[in-house]
Amino acid sequence: MLASLGAELLKIRKRPSTWVLALIWLSVIVLLNYTLTYAFLSNVPPPTFPEGTPKRQQEQLQQQQEQFQEQQLRSLYPDNLVQNLIPGYPSVGAPIALILGALAVGSEYGWSTFKTILTQRPGRTALFLGKLLALGVMLALLVVLTFVTGAACSIVVAILAGASSTGPPVGEFLRALGAGFLILAVWASLGALLATLLRSTALSIGIGLVYSLVLETIIFNLPIRNPSFTNAREFFPGQNSSSLADSFSEQAPTGFAPPTPPVDAPQAALVLLSYTAAFIVLAALVFRRRDVE
């Protein structure tokens, strides 16, 4: 399995799609989370008032606008790094991780290389687990790169704004790293499972993206008031991904429609961990027992 891990790490590192997907996500963080937000907040025109507005009222409204701008700008500072980045994991990171998982397994079927690899005497289980371990290493690196990029951008914003700010608490930062990796892992393992079942990259990516971006939202908005259906919504991977990300923010939940009551962070982490383990075990069993052709 260690030899398979080394080979898979080399393949992932050499595959252009890996770095293209990583650059897409990092570009979204730089452009949307920081650059455009800072540019908008820094260039808000002063408020205009109808003729005859009392000067005191003008000063109050202008002061309120400045306070709002300062509050929004502070959300880009390093001490709010976790709250600014973690919501992107269920919305942007999940599809990227799913594509990475599908590519890691489905490409072998498209290139017909599984048979060649297996003739070199690695066992099927060792080969498959080595591939998934390499995928996990890539996901961990992606999580670290995400926070490094966000930290660099937040420091630049703080310098441009002339403000001093410290980083997030160490405990919160470590929890965010673990939560981000868990969210990516469940979707990457789903992509690997779909690619194993379908023996196709394009089809598995298509089905996975439809589910992650569309299907759960449709299910949650069905006009069903049955308590069993409401409780069942708490165990969907997309909902638990969003709930785990929202647990780091005091703002209203975003992404998938929240169930009633909302899923708390420990339950969301446990559900995601269970899904990840189930997807990996099922994919390994299918790969072990089925012909690779």
Side-chain angles (χ1 to χ4, degrees), residues 8 11-12 15 17-18 21 97-111 113-114 117 127-128 130-136 138 188 191-192 195-196 200-201 204-205:
E8 294 299 331
K11 285 195 291 185
I12 289 179
R15 184 174 291 153
S17 58
T18 301
L21 290 171
L98 189 144
I99 294 172
L100 285 173
L103 286 173
V105 178
S107 298
E108 305 287 358
Y109 288 105
W111 298 330
T113 51
F114 266 137
I117 298 173
L127 170 64
F128 197 77
K131 182 179 288 292
L132 293 183
L133 282 175
L135 181 61
M138 182 61 201
T196 305
S200 169
T201 302
S204 58
I205 290 176

PDB file of all heavy atoms in Angstrom, residues 8 11-12 15 17-18 21 97-111 113-114 117 127-128 130-136 138 188 191-192 195-196 200-201 204-205:
ATOM      1  N   GLU A   8       0.702   6.871  -6.550  1.00  0.00           N
ATOM      2  CA  GLU A   8      -0.487   7.699  -6.739  1.00  0.00           C
ATOM      3  C   GLU A   8      -0.203   9.169  -6.465  1.00  0.00           C
ATOM      4  O   GLU A   8      -0.749  10.048  -7.133  1.00  0.00           O
ATOM      5  CB  GLU A   8      -1.613   7.193  -5.831  1.00  0.00           C
ATOM      6  CG  GLU A   8      -2.132   5.812  -6.183  1.00  0.00           C
ATOM      7  CD  GLU A   8      -2.707   5.738  -7.576  1.00  0.00           C
ATOM      8  OE1 GLU A   8      -3.214   6.775  -8.065  1.00  0.00           O
ATOM      9  OE2 GLU A   8      -2.643   4.664  -8.186  1.00  0.00           O
ATOM     10  N   LYS A  11       1.308  10.503  -9.565  1.00  0.00           N
ATOM     11  CA  LYS A  11       0.325  10.711 -10.626  1.00  0.00           C
ATOM     12  C   LYS A  11      -0.530  11.952 -10.361  1.00  0.00           C
ATOM     13  O   LYS A  11      -0.803  12.731 -11.279  1.00  0.00           O
ATOM     14  CB  LYS A  11      -0.565   9.465 -10.765  1.00  0.00           C
ATOM     15  CG  LYS A  11       0.123   8.310 -11.439  1.00  0.00           C
ATOM     16  CD  LYS A  11      -0.858   7.251 -11.876  1.00  0.00           C
ATOM     17  CE  LYS A  11      -1.482   6.540 -10.703  1.00  0.00           C
ATOM     18  NZ  LYS A  11      -2.345   5.418 -11.133  1.00  0.00           N
ATOM     19  N   ILE A  12      -0.973  12.107  -9.120  1.00  0.00           N
ATOM     20  CA  ILE A  12      -1.791  13.273  -8.799  1.00  0.00           C
ATOM     21  C   ILE A  12      -1.003  14.556  -9.001  1.00  0.00           C
ATOM     22  O   ILE A  12      -1.514  15.559  -9.510  1.00  0.00           O
ATOM     23  CB  ILE A  12      -2.313  13.161  -7.346  1.00  0.00           C
ATOM     24  CG1 ILE A  12      -3.362  12.056  -7.250  1.00  0.00           C
ATOM     25  CG2 ILE A  12      -2.908  14.487  -6.881  1.00  0.00           C
ATOM     26  CD1 ILE A  12      -3.904  11.860  -5.856  1.00  0.00           C
ATOM     27  N   ARG A  15      -0.705  15.330 -12.716  1.00  0.00           N
ATOM     28  CA  ARG A  15      -1.949  15.515 -13.475  1.00  0.00           C
ATOM     29  C   ARG A  15      -2.318  16.998 -13.511  1.00  0.00           C
ATOM     30  O   ARG A  15      -2.546  17.617 -12.477  1.00  0.00           O
ATOM     31  CB  ARG A  15      -3.059  14.702 -12.818  1.00  0.00           C
ATOM     32  CG  ARG A  15      -4.380  14.740 -13.573  1.00  0.00           C
ATOM     33  CD  ARG A  15      -5.376  13.790 -12.913  1.00  0.00           C
ATOM     34  NE  ARG A  15      -4.970  12.410 -13.111  1.00  0.00           N
ATOM     35  CZ  ARG A  15      -5.282  11.420 -12.273  1.00  0.00           C
ATOM     36  NH1 ARG A  15      -5.974  11.671 -11.182  1.00  0.00           N
ATOM     37  NH2 ARG A  15      -4.902  10.182 -12.528  1.00  0.00           N
ATOM     38  N   SER A  17      -5.044  18.533 -14.257  1.00  0.00           N
ATOM     39  CA  SER A  17      -6.369  18.857 -13.733  1.00  0.00           C
ATOM     40  C   SER A  17      -6.334  19.098 -12.234  1.00  0.00           C
ATOM     41  O   SER A  17      -7.138  19.889 -11.705  1.00  0.00           O
ATOM     42  CB  SER A  17      -7.349  17.725 -14.055  1.00  0.00           C
ATOM     43  OG  SER A  17      -6.897  16.494 -13.507  1.00  0.00           O
ATOM     44  N   THR A  18      -5.435  18.442 -11.511  1.00  0.00           N
ATOM     45  CA  THR A  18      -5.332  18.650 -10.068  1.00  0.00           C
ATOM     46  C   THR A  18      -5.008  20.099  -9.756  1.00  0.00           C
ATOM     47  O   THR A  18      -5.664  20.734  -8.912  1.00  0.00           O
ATOM     48  CB  THR A  18      -4.248  17.733  -9.473  1.00  0.00           C
ATOM     49  OG1 THR A  18      -4.578  16.364  -9.750  1.00  0.00           O
ATOM     50  CG2 THR A  18      -4.138  17.937  -7.974  1.00  0.00           C
ATOM     51  N   LEU A  21      -7.865  22.652 -10.874  1.00  0.00           N
ATOM     52  CA  LEU A  21      -8.957  22.738  -9.907  1.00  0.00           C
ATOM     53  C   LEU A  21      -8.527  23.506  -8.663  1.00  0.00           C
ATOM     54  O   LEU A  21      -9.289  24.311  -8.124  1.00  0.00           O
ATOM     55  CB  LEU A  21      -9.425  21.329  -9.533  1.00  0.00           C
ATOM     56  CG  LEU A  21     -10.156  20.556 -10.631  1.00  0.00           C
ATOM     57  CD1 LEU A  21     -10.357  19.106 -10.212  1.00  0.00           C
ATOM     58  CD2 LEU A  21     -11.505  21.205 -10.934  1.00  0.00           C
ATOM     59  N   ALA A  97     -13.783  18.879  -4.766  1.00  0.00           N
ATOM     60  CA  ALA A  97     -13.347  17.615  -4.178  1.00  0.00           C
ATOM     61  C   ALA A  97     -14.006  16.429  -4.866  1.00  0.00           C
ATOM     62  O   ALA A  97     -13.364  15.394  -5.090  1.00  0.00           O
ATOM     63  CB  ALA A  97     -13.668  17.611  -2.680  1.00  0.00           C
ATOM     64  N   LEU A  98     -15.272  16.565  -5.216  1.00  0.00           N
ATOM     65  CA  LEU A  98     -15.964  15.476  -5.917  1.00  0.00           C
ATOM     66  C   LEU A  98     -15.309  15.190  -7.265  1.00  0.00           C
ATOM     67  O   LEU A  98     -15.123  14.031  -7.650  1.00  0.00           O
ATOM     68  CB  LEU A  98     -17.437  15.847  -6.094  1.00  0.00           C
ATOM     69  CG  LEU A  98     -18.368  14.751  -6.619  1.00  0.00           C
ATOM     70  CD1 LEU A  98     -19.734  14.873  -5.966  1.00  0.00           C
ATOM     71  CD2 LEU A  98     -18.522  14.824  -8.137  1.00  0.00           C
ATOM     72  N   ILE A  99     -14.961  16.249  -7.982  1.00  0.00           N
ATOM     73  CA  ILE A  99     -14.302  16.070  -9.276  1.00  0.00           C
ATOM     74  C   ILE A  99     -12.939  15.405  -9.094  1.00  0.00           C
ATOM     75  O   ILE A  99     -12.564  14.511  -9.861  1.00  0.00           O
ATOM     76  CB  ILE A  99     -14.163  17.427  -9.992  1.00  0.00           C
ATOM     77  CG1 ILE A  99     -15.540  17.980 -10.348  1.00  0.00           C
ATOM     78  CG2 ILE A  99     -13.323  17.294 -11.257  1.00  0.00           C
ATOM     79  CD1 ILE A  99     -15.510  19.402 -10.892  1.00  0.00           C
ATOM     80  N   LEU A 100     -12.186  15.823  -8.070  1.00  0.00           N
ATOM     81  CA  LEU A 100     -10.887  15.210  -7.812  1.00  0.00           C
ATOM     82  C   LEU A 100     -11.029  13.723  -7.506  1.00  0.00           C
ATOM     83  O   LEU A 100     -10.247  12.896  -7.995  1.00  0.00           O
ATOM     84  CB  LEU A 100     -10.193  15.919  -6.652  1.00  0.00           C
ATOM     85  CG  LEU A 100      -9.596  17.293  -6.937  1.00  0.00           C
ATOM     86  CD1 LEU A 100      -9.100  17.938  -5.647  1.00  0.00           C
ATOM     87  CD2 LEU A 100      -8.450  17.180  -7.941  1.00  0.00           C
ATOM     88  N   GLY A 101     -12.018  13.368  -6.681  1.00  0.00           N
ATOM     89  CA  GLY A 101     -12.232  11.959  -6.367  1.00  0.00           C
ATOM     90  C   GLY A 101     -12.620  11.145  -7.581  1.00  0.00           C
ATOM     91  O   GLY A 101     -12.141  10.023  -7.770  1.00  0.00           O
ATOM     92  N   ALA A 102     -13.495  11.708  -8.430  1.00  0.00           N
ATOM     93  CA  ALA A 102     -13.903  10.992  -9.638  1.00  0.00           C
ATOM     94  C   ALA A 102     -12.739  10.845 -10.620  1.00  0.00           C
ATOM     95  O   ALA A 102     -12.575   9.796 -11.254  1.00  0.00           O
ATOM     96  CB  ALA A 102     -15.065  11.723 -10.300  1.00  0.00           C
ATOM     97  N   LEU A 103     -11.913  11.877 -10.745  1.00  0.00           N
ATOM     98  CA  LEU A 103     -10.763  11.805 -11.639  1.00  0.00           C
ATOM     99  C   LEU A 103      -9.731  10.787 -11.157  1.00  0.00           C
ATOM    100  O   LEU A 103      -9.120  10.072 -11.962  1.00  0.00           O
ATOM    101  CB  LEU A 103     -10.107  13.178 -11.768  1.00  0.00           C
ATOM    102  CG  LEU A 103     -10.844  14.220 -12.601  1.00  0.00           C
ATOM    103  CD1 LEU A 103     -10.155  15.572 -12.480  1.00  0.00           C
ATOM    104  CD2 LEU A 103     -10.904  13.800 -14.063  1.00  0.00           C
ATOM    105  N   ALA A 104      -9.534  10.712  -9.843  1.00  0.00           N
ATOM    106  CA  ALA A 104      -8.518   9.812  -9.302  1.00  0.00           C
ATOM    107  C   ALA A 104      -8.808   8.361  -9.643  1.00  0.00           C
ATOM    108  O   ALA A 104      -7.886   7.572  -9.893  1.00  0.00           O
ATOM    109  CB  ALA A 104      -8.425   9.981  -7.784  1.00  0.00           C
ATOM    110  N   VAL A 105     -10.094   7.982  -9.668  1.00  0.00           N
ATOM    111  CA  VAL A 105     -10.465   6.592  -9.946  1.00  0.00           C
ATOM    112  C   VAL A 105     -10.930   6.414 -11.385  1.00  0.00           C
ATOM    113  O   VAL A 105     -10.513   5.483 -12.078  1.00  0.00           O
ATOM    114  CB  VAL A 105     -11.570   6.131  -8.972  1.00  0.00           C
ATOM    115  CG1 VAL A 105     -12.004   4.698  -9.294  1.00  0.00           C
ATOM    116  CG2 VAL A 105     -11.088   6.223  -7.531  1.00  0.00           C
ATOM    117  N   GLY A 106     -11.792   7.313 -11.850  1.00  0.00           N
ATOM    118  CA  GLY A 106     -12.372   7.146 -13.182  1.00  0.00           C
ATOM    119  C   GLY A 106     -11.357   7.215 -14.301  1.00  0.00           C
ATOM    120  O   GLY A 106     -11.525   6.560 -15.341  1.00  0.00           O
ATOM    121  N   SER A 107     -10.286   8.013 -14.113  1.00  0.00           N
ATOM    122  CA  SER A 107      -9.282   8.117 -15.178  1.00  0.00           C
ATOM    123  C   SER A 107      -8.614   6.782 -15.455  1.00  0.00           C
ATOM    124  O   SER A 107      -8.243   6.489 -16.604  1.00  0.00           O
ATOM    125  CB  SER A 107      -8.229   9.159 -14.787  1.00  0.00           C
ATOM    126  OG  SER A 107      -8.804  10.427 -14.636  1.00  0.00           O
ATOM    127  N   GLU A 108      -8.461   5.955 -14.421  1.00  0.00           N
ATOM    128  CA  GLU A 108      -7.829   4.645 -14.615  1.00  0.00           C
ATOM    129  C   GLU A 108      -8.676   3.760 -15.526  1.00  0.00           C
ATOM    130  O   GLU A 108      -8.147   2.979 -16.325  1.00  0.00           O
ATOM    131  CB  GLU A 108      -7.618   3.960 -13.269  1.00  0.00           C
ATOM    132  CG  GLU A 108      -6.833   4.778 -12.259  1.00  0.00           C
ATOM    133  CD  GLU A 108      -5.352   4.853 -12.599  1.00  0.00           C
ATOM    134  OE1 GLU A 108      -4.921   4.247 -13.599  1.00  0.00           O
ATOM    135  OE2 GLU A 108      -4.617   5.532 -11.847  1.00  0.00           O
ATOM    136  N   TYR A 109     -10.003   3.874 -15.400  1.00  0.00           N
ATOM    137  CA  TYR A 109     -10.873   3.107 -16.291  1.00  0.00           C
ATOM    138  C   TYR A 109     -10.819   3.662 -17.708  1.00  0.00           C
ATOM    139  O   TYR A 109     -10.823   2.916 -18.696  1.00  0.00           O
ATOM    140  CB  TYR A 109     -12.315   3.149 -15.780  1.00  0.00           C
ATOM    141  CG  TYR A 109     -12.540   2.336 -14.530  1.00  0.00           C
ATOM    142  CD1 TYR A 109     -12.693   2.944 -13.292  1.00  0.00           C
ATOM    143  CD2 TYR A 109     -12.628   0.943 -14.584  1.00  0.00           C
ATOM    144  CE1 TYR A 109     -12.901   2.207 -12.141  1.00  0.00           C
ATOM    145  CE2 TYR A 109     -12.838   0.194 -13.438  1.00  0.00           C
ATOM    146  CZ  TYR A 109     -12.974   0.831 -12.221  1.00  0.00           C
ATOM    147  OH  TYR A 109     -13.186   0.086 -11.092  1.00  0.00           O
ATOM    148  N   GLY A 110     -10.784   4.991 -17.829  1.00  0.00           N
ATOM    149  CA  GLY A 110     -10.724   5.584 -19.158  1.00  0.00           C
ATOM    150  C   GLY A 110      -9.432   5.275 -19.884  1.00  0.00           C
ATOM    151  O   GLY A 110      -9.431   5.095 -21.105  1.00  0.00           O
ATOM    152  N   TRP A 111      -8.319   5.189 -19.147  1.00  0.00           N
ATOM    153  CA  TRP A 111      -7.023   4.894 -19.755  1.00  0.00           C
ATOM    154  C   TRP A 111      -6.717   3.395 -19.802  1.00  0.00           C
ATOM    155  O   TRP A 111      -5.688   3.000 -20.353  1.00  0.00           O
ATOM    156  CB  TRP A 111      -5.904   5.593 -18.979  1.00  0.00           C
ATOM    157  CG  TRP A 111      -6.012   7.083 -18.973  1.00  0.00           C
ATOM    158  CD1 TRP A 111      -6.553   7.870 -19.943  1.00  0.00           C
ATOM    159  CD2 TRP A 111      -5.563   7.961 -17.946  1.00  0.00           C
ATOM    160  NE1 TRP A 111      -6.477   9.184 -19.585  1.00  0.00           N
ATOM    161  CE2 TRP A 111      -5.865   9.290 -18.362  1.00  0.00           C
ATOM    162  CE3 TRP A 111      -4.922   7.783 -16.718  1.00  0.00           C
ATOM    163  CZ2 TRP A 111      -5.566  10.393 -17.596  1.00  0.00           C
ATOM    164  CZ3 TRP A 111      -4.619   8.896 -15.953  1.00  0.00           C
ATOM    165  CH2 TRP A 111      -4.936  10.185 -16.389  1.00  0.00           C
ATOM    166  N   THR A 113      -5.724   1.460 -17.432  1.00  0.00           N
ATOM    167  CA  THR A 113      -4.436   1.228 -16.767  1.00  0.00           C
ATOM    168  C   THR A 113      -4.558   0.372 -15.508  1.00  0.00           C
ATOM    169  O   THR A 113      -3.531  -0.050 -14.974  1.00  0.00           O
ATOM    170  CB  THR A 113      -3.794   2.571 -16.392  1.00  0.00           C
ATOM    171  OG1 THR A 113      -4.746   3.374 -15.680  1.00  0.00           O
ATOM    172  CG2 THR A 113      -3.347   3.314 -17.634  1.00  0.00           C
ATOM    173  N   PHE A 114      -5.772   0.122 -15.019  1.00  0.00           N
ATOM    174  CA  PHE A 114      -5.914  -0.702 -13.820  1.00  0.00           C
ATOM    175  C   PHE A 114      -5.347  -2.102 -14.039  1.00  0.00           C
ATOM    176  O   PHE A 114      -4.655  -2.661 -13.183  1.00  0.00           O
ATOM    177  CB  PHE A 114      -7.380  -0.805 -13.404  1.00  0.00           C
ATOM    178  CG  PHE A 114      -7.776   0.207 -12.378  1.00  0.00           C
ATOM    179  CD1 PHE A 114      -8.986   0.877 -12.489  1.00  0.00           C
ATOM    180  CD2 PHE A 114      -6.963   0.491 -11.300  1.00  0.00           C
ATOM    181  CE1 PHE A 114      -9.360   1.814 -11.536  1.00  0.00           C
ATOM    182  CE2 PHE A 114      -7.323   1.426 -10.348  1.00  0.00           C
ATOM    183  CZ  PHE A 114      -8.525   2.089 -10.475  1.00  0.00           C
ATOM    184  N   ILE A 117      -1.570  -2.076 -13.911  1.00  0.00           N
ATOM    185  CA  ILE A 117      -1.059  -1.890 -12.547  1.00  0.00           C
ATOM    186  C   ILE A 117      -1.184  -3.178 -11.751  1.00  0.00           C
ATOM    187  O   ILE A 117      -0.262  -3.578 -11.030  1.00  0.00           O
ATOM    188  CB  ILE A 117      -1.817  -0.748 -11.853  1.00  0.00           C
ATOM    189  CG1 ILE A 117      -1.603   0.568 -12.604  1.00  0.00           C
ATOM    190  CG2 ILE A 117      -1.357  -0.607 -10.407  1.00  0.00           C
ATOM    191  CD1 ILE A 117      -2.451   1.705 -12.089  1.00  0.00           C
ATOM    192  N   LEU A 127      -3.906  -1.431  -3.565  1.00  0.00           N
ATOM    193  CA  LEU A 127      -3.875  -0.444  -4.635  1.00  0.00           C
ATOM    194  C   LEU A 127      -4.937   0.625  -4.428  1.00  0.00           C
ATOM    195  O   LEU A 127      -4.662   1.835  -4.524  1.00  0.00           O
ATOM    196  CB  LEU A 127      -4.089  -1.136  -5.981  1.00  0.00           C
ATOM    197  CG  LEU A 127      -4.316  -0.218  -7.195  1.00  0.00           C
ATOM    198  CD1 LEU A 127      -3.087   0.629  -7.465  1.00  0.00           C
ATOM    199  CD2 LEU A 127      -4.690  -1.041  -8.425  1.00  0.00           C
ATOM    200  N   PHE A 128      -6.153   0.199  -4.109  1.00  0.00           N
ATOM    201  CA  PHE A 128      -7.253   1.148  -3.989  1.00  0.00           C
ATOM    202  C   PHE A 128      -7.081   2.043  -2.762  1.00  0.00           C
ATOM    203  O   PHE A 128      -7.304   3.258  -2.832  1.00  0.00           O
ATOM    204  CB  PHE A 128      -8.582   0.393  -3.912  1.00  0.00           C
ATOM    205  CG  PHE A 128      -9.773   1.255  -4.202  1.00  0.00           C
ATOM    206  CD1 PHE A 128     -10.095   1.604  -5.501  1.00  0.00           C
ATOM    207  CD2 PHE A 128     -10.574   1.723  -3.173  1.00  0.00           C
ATOM    208  CE1 PHE A 128     -11.194   2.404  -5.776  1.00  0.00           C
ATOM    209  CE2 PHE A 128     -11.666   2.525  -3.428  1.00  0.00           C
ATOM    210  CZ  PHE A 128     -11.988   2.860  -4.737  1.00  0.00           C
ATOM    211  N   GLY A 130      -4.274   2.798  -1.306  1.00  0.00           N
ATOM    212  CA  GLY A 130      -3.171   3.707  -1.594  1.00  0.00           C
ATOM    213  C   GLY A 130      -3.625   4.887  -2.431  1.00  0.00           C
ATOM    214  O   GLY A 130      -3.192   6.029  -2.210  1.00  0.00           O
ATOM    215  N   LYS A 131      -4.517   4.623  -3.387  1.00  0.00           N
ATOM    216  CA  LYS A 131      -5.049   5.699  -4.219  1.00  0.00           C
ATOM    217  C   LYS A 131      -5.859   6.677  -3.369  1.00  0.00           C
ATOM    218  O   LYS A 131      -5.735   7.905  -3.512  1.00  0.00           O
ATOM    219  CB  LYS A 131      -5.920   5.107  -5.330  1.00  0.00           C
ATOM    220  CG  LYS A 131      -6.504   6.122  -6.298  1.00  0.00           C
ATOM    221  CD  LYS A 131      -7.317   5.439  -7.366  1.00  0.00           C
ATOM    222  CE  LYS A 131      -6.425   4.705  -8.328  1.00  0.00           C
ATOM    223  NZ  LYS A 131      -5.601   5.654  -9.134  1.00  0.00           N
ATOM    224  N   LEU A 132      -6.683   6.151  -2.464  1.00  0.00           N
ATOM    225  CA  LEU A 132      -7.505   7.028  -1.626  1.00  0.00           C
ATOM    226  C   LEU A 132      -6.654   7.789  -0.609  1.00  0.00           C
ATOM    227  O   LEU A 132      -6.955   8.942  -0.278  1.00  0.00           O
ATOM    228  CB  LEU A 132      -8.571   6.203  -0.907  1.00  0.00           C
ATOM    229  CG  LEU A 132      -9.644   5.582  -1.813  1.00  0.00           C
ATOM    230  CD1 LEU A 132     -10.681   4.846  -0.982  1.00  0.00           C
ATOM    231  CD2 LEU A 132     -10.315   6.637  -2.687  1.00  0.00           C
ATOM    232  N   LEU A 133      -5.602   7.167  -0.112  1.00  0.00           N
ATOM    233  CA  LEU A 133      -4.697   7.874   0.798  1.00  0.00           C
ATOM    234  C   LEU A 133      -4.011   9.037   0.078  1.00  0.00           C
ATOM    235  O   LEU A 133      -3.852  10.128   0.644  1.00  0.00           O
ATOM    236  CB  LEU A 133      -3.657   6.915   1.362  1.00  0.00           C
ATOM    237  CG  LEU A 133      -4.109   5.997   2.502  1.00  0.00           C
ATOM    238  CD1 LEU A 133      -2.992   5.026   2.864  1.00  0.00           C
ATOM    239  CD2 LEU A 133      -4.530   6.813   3.713  1.00  0.00           C
ATOM    240  N   ALA A 134      -3.594   8.802  -1.154  1.00  0.00           N
ATOM    241  CA  ALA A 134      -2.987   9.890  -1.931  1.00  0.00           C
ATOM    242  C   ALA A 134      -3.987  11.010  -2.163  1.00  0.00           C
ATOM    243  O   ALA A 134      -3.625  12.203  -2.099  1.00  0.00           O
ATOM    244  CB  ALA A 134      -2.477   9.341  -3.268  1.00  0.00           C
ATOM    245  N   LEU A 135      -5.236  10.643  -2.412  1.00  0.00           N
ATOM    246  CA  LEU A 135      -6.285  11.658  -2.564  1.00  0.00           C
ATOM    247  C   LEU A 135      -6.466  12.433  -1.270  1.00  0.00           C
ATOM    248  O   LEU A 135      -6.647  13.656  -1.292  1.00  0.00           O
ATOM    249  CB  LEU A 135      -7.592  10.981  -2.985  1.00  0.00           C
ATOM    250  CG  LEU A 135      -8.799  11.887  -3.207  1.00  0.00           C
ATOM    251  CD1 LEU A 135      -8.538  12.891  -4.314  1.00  0.00           C
ATOM    252  CD2 LEU A 135     -10.036  11.044  -3.541  1.00  0.00           C
ATOM    253  N   GLY A 136      -6.413  11.739  -0.130  1.00  0.00           N
ATOM    254  CA  GLY A 136      -6.520  12.416   1.156  1.00  0.00           C
ATOM    255  C   GLY A 136      -5.378  13.384   1.396  1.00  0.00           C
ATOM    256  O   GLY A 136      -5.583  14.481   1.943  1.00  0.00           O
ATOM    257  N   MET A 138      -3.764  14.983  -0.904  1.00  0.00           N
ATOM    258  CA  MET A 138      -4.032  16.123  -1.773  1.00  0.00           C
ATOM    259  C   MET A 138      -5.089  17.039  -1.168  1.00  0.00           C
ATOM    260  O   MET A 138      -4.975  18.270  -1.218  1.00  0.00           O
ATOM    261  CB  MET A 138      -4.489  15.629  -3.154  1.00  0.00           C
ATOM    262  CG  MET A 138      -4.739  16.750  -4.150  1.00  0.00           C
ATOM    263  SD  MET A 138      -3.255  17.727  -4.458  1.00  0.00           S
ATOM    264  CE  MET A 138      -3.966  19.234  -5.098  1.00  0.00           C
ATOM    265  N   ALA A 188     -15.139  13.913  -1.905  1.00  0.00           N
ATOM    266  CA  ALA A 188     -14.142  13.213  -2.722  1.00  0.00           C
ATOM    267  C   ALA A 188     -14.399  11.703  -2.698  1.00  0.00           C
ATOM    268  O   ALA A 188     -14.277  11.029  -3.731  1.00  0.00           O
ATOM    269  CB  ALA A 188     -12.736  13.519  -2.215  1.00  0.00           C
ATOM    270  N   GLY A 191     -17.234  10.963  -4.995  1.00  0.00           N
ATOM    271  CA  GLY A 191     -16.779  10.940  -6.383  1.00  0.00           C
ATOM    272  C   GLY A 191     -16.040   9.672  -6.725  1.00  0.00           C
ATOM    273  O   GLY A 191     -16.224   9.104  -7.813  1.00  0.00           O
ATOM    274  N   ALA A 192     -15.190   9.182  -5.803  1.00  0.00           N
ATOM    275  CA  ALA A 192     -14.475   7.927  -6.041  1.00  0.00           C
ATOM    276  C   ALA A 192     -15.437   6.749  -6.114  1.00  0.00           C
ATOM    277  O   ALA A 192     -15.266   5.841  -6.942  1.00  0.00           O
ATOM    278  CB  ALA A 192     -13.447   7.708  -4.927  1.00  0.00           C
ATOM    279  N   ALA A 195     -17.296   6.873  -9.482  1.00  0.00           N
ATOM    280  CA  ALA A 195     -16.402   6.465 -10.568  1.00  0.00           C
ATOM    281  C   ALA A 195     -16.168   4.961 -10.552  1.00  0.00           C
ATOM    282  O   ALA A 195     -16.044   4.330 -11.609  1.00  0.00           O
ATOM    283  CB  ALA A 195     -15.076   7.209 -10.459  1.00  0.00           C
ATOM    284  N   THR A 196     -16.116   4.357  -9.359  1.00  0.00           N
ATOM    285  CA  THR A 196     -15.925   2.909  -9.257  1.00  0.00           C
ATOM    286  C   THR A 196     -17.168   2.163  -9.736  1.00  0.00           C
ATOM    287  O   THR A 196     -17.070   1.155 -10.440  1.00  0.00           O
ATOM    288  CB  THR A 196     -15.603   2.518  -7.804  1.00  0.00           C
ATOM    289  OG1 THR A 196     -14.471   3.266  -7.354  1.00  0.00           O
ATOM    290  CG2 THR A 196     -15.291   1.039  -7.699  1.00  0.00           C
ATOM    291  N   SER A 200     -16.556   5.326 -15.080  1.00  0.00           N
ATOM    292  CA  SER A 200     -16.556   6.460 -16.006  1.00  0.00           C
ATOM    293  C   SER A 200     -16.260   7.732 -15.229  1.00  0.00           C
ATOM    294  O   SER A 200     -16.734   7.898 -14.093  1.00  0.00           O
ATOM    295  CB  SER A 200     -17.915   6.582 -16.704  1.00  0.00           C
ATOM    296  OG  SER A 200     -18.014   7.805 -17.411  1.00  0.00           O
ATOM    297  N   THR A 201     -15.484   8.614 -15.833  1.00  0.00           N
ATOM    298  CA  THR A 201     -15.176   9.889 -15.182  1.00  0.00           C
ATOM    299  C   THR A 201     -16.271  10.910 -15.422  1.00  0.00           C
ATOM    300  O   THR A 201     -16.792  11.518 -14.482  1.00  0.00           O
ATOM    301  CB  THR A 201     -13.840  10.436 -15.701  1.00  0.00           C
ATOM    302  OG1 THR A 201     -12.803   9.482 -15.463  1.00  0.00           O
ATOM    303  CG2 THR A 201     -13.476  11.725 -14.986  1.00  0.00           C
ATOM    304  N   SER A 204     -19.747  10.031 -13.742  1.00  0.00           N
ATOM    305  CA  SER A 204     -19.715  10.135 -12.286  1.00  0.00           C
ATOM    306  C   SER A 204     -19.640  11.590 -11.841  1.00  0.00           C
ATOM    307  O   SER A 204     -20.291  11.982 -10.865  1.00  0.00           O
ATOM    308  CB  SER A 204     -18.521   9.352 -11.736  1.00  0.00           C
ATOM    309  OG  SER A 204     -17.299   9.828 -12.276  1.00  0.00           O
ATOM    310  N   ILE A 205     -18.873  12.419 -12.558  1.00  0.00           N
ATOM    311  CA  ILE A 205     -18.813  13.843 -12.213  1.00  0.00           C
ATOM    312  C   ILE A 205     -20.174  14.497 -12.436  1.00  0.00           C
ATOM    313  O   ILE A 205     -20.654  15.283 -11.596  1.00  0.00           O
ATOM    314  CB  ILE A 205     -17.731  14.545 -13.046  1.00  0.00           C
ATOM    315  CG1 ILE A 205     -16.335  14.088 -12.608  1.00  0.00           C
ATOM    316  CG2 ILE A 205     -17.852  16.065 -12.920  1.00  0.00           C
ATOM    317  CD1 ILE A 205     -15.213  14.661 -13.445  1.00  0.00           C
TER     318      ILE A 205
END
